[in-house]
Amino acid sequence: MAKYFAEINPSERITEAGNLVPWDGTVLRVIVAESDYINSGRLGNSSNWVECFLDEDGITNSRKKYPGIGDNYNSAADIFYPRQPYPSWTLDENYDWQPPIPMPEERKYETVLRVNDMPLPWLWDESTQSWVNEE
């Protein structure tokens, strides 16, 4: 039965004394294939491929998220996580990117610009290191 697999950048994989060690790598591509095909070596070293899962409803429930090209994989935690959205954001212990300043609470409508009586979303401005909600 075909499964989903993500290829992880092999140049980011480190070995110690010939043994693979935990590593963070970038997802190069995601394909549907049989396990035997991945293990055959036709697509390169099979250890650079990680099975990923997509539920019937399109929501992944294992390995944190379904990977996309450019996402990251951490082999120690055995999870995929998104690429860093901005240089100032840091990765927390749950592999979620956190801004240097928390997003304002949306309940503070008096400070939120509106279009057609709908509040505009807060957007991160890396140059000012602040949240903005401009048109």
Side-chain angles (χ1 to χ4, degrees), residues 17 28 31 40 46-47 59 73 78 95 108 112 118 121 134:
L28 299 175
I31 65 170
S40 73
S46 63
S47 66
I59 300 171
Y73 175 71
D78 194 23
Y95 294 88
K108 297 180 182 177
V112 177
M118 296 294 296
E134 301 171 355

Side-chain angles (χ1 to χ4, degrees), residues 16-17 20 54 71 98 109:
E16 290 178 2
L20 295 175
L54 189 63
D71 282 346
Q98 299 299 325
Y109 290 115

Side-chain angles (χ1 to χ4, degrees), residues 87-99:
S88 64
W89 290 35
T90 56
L91 200 60
D92 69 15
E93 65 278 355
N94 296 318
Y95 294 88
D96 294 318
W97 292 105
Q98 299 299 325

Side-chain angles (χ1 to χ4, degrees), residues 39-57:
N39 293 331
S40 73
R42 292 183 198 151
L43 296 174
N45 188 336
S46 63
S47 66
N48 295 331
W49 290 88
V50 177
E51 186 175 355
C52 45
F53 306 93
L54 189 63
D55 291 341
E56 289 179 18
D57 61 2

Side-chain angles (χ1 to χ4, degrees), residues 18-29:
N19 296 317
L20 295 175
V21 296
W23 92 106
D24 279 324
T26 306
V27 175
L28 299 175
R29 59 183 164 162

Side-chain angles (χ1 to χ4, degrees), residues 36-134:
D36 291 344
Y37 185 71
I38 296 293
N39 293 331
S40 73
R42 292 183 198 151
L43 296 174
N45 188 336
S46 63
S47 66
N48 295 331
W49 290 88
V50 177
E51 186 175 355
C52 45
F53 306 93
L54 189 63
D55 291 341
E56 289 179 18
D57 61 2
I59 300 171
T60 184
N61 63 2
S62 59
R63 296 206 167 120
K64 187 158 179 77
K65 72 179 290 294
Y66 187 77
I69 294 172
D71 282 346
N72 300 296
Y73 175 71
N74 179 282
S75 66
D78 194 23
I79 63 165
F80 296 98
Y81 61 97
R83 65 188 101 188
Q84 186 176 19
Y86 299 97
S88 64
W89 290 35
T90 56
L91 200 60
D92 69 15
E93 65 278 355
N94 296 318
Y95 294 88
D96 294 318
W97 292 105
Q98 299 299 325
I101 300 167
M103 183 186 301
E105 294 177 34
E106 289 191 10
R107 292 188 300 271
K108 297 180 182 177
Y109 290 115
E110 66 276 3
T111 64
V112 177
L113 293 177
R114 294 172 171 265
V115 172
N116 296 330
D117 203 36
M118 296 294 296
L120 293 173
W122 289 103
L123 303 171
W124 180 253
D125 183 342
E126 184 70 9
S127 65
T128 63
Q129 298 282 294
S130 64
W131 291 97
V132 296
N133 59 348
E134 301 171 355

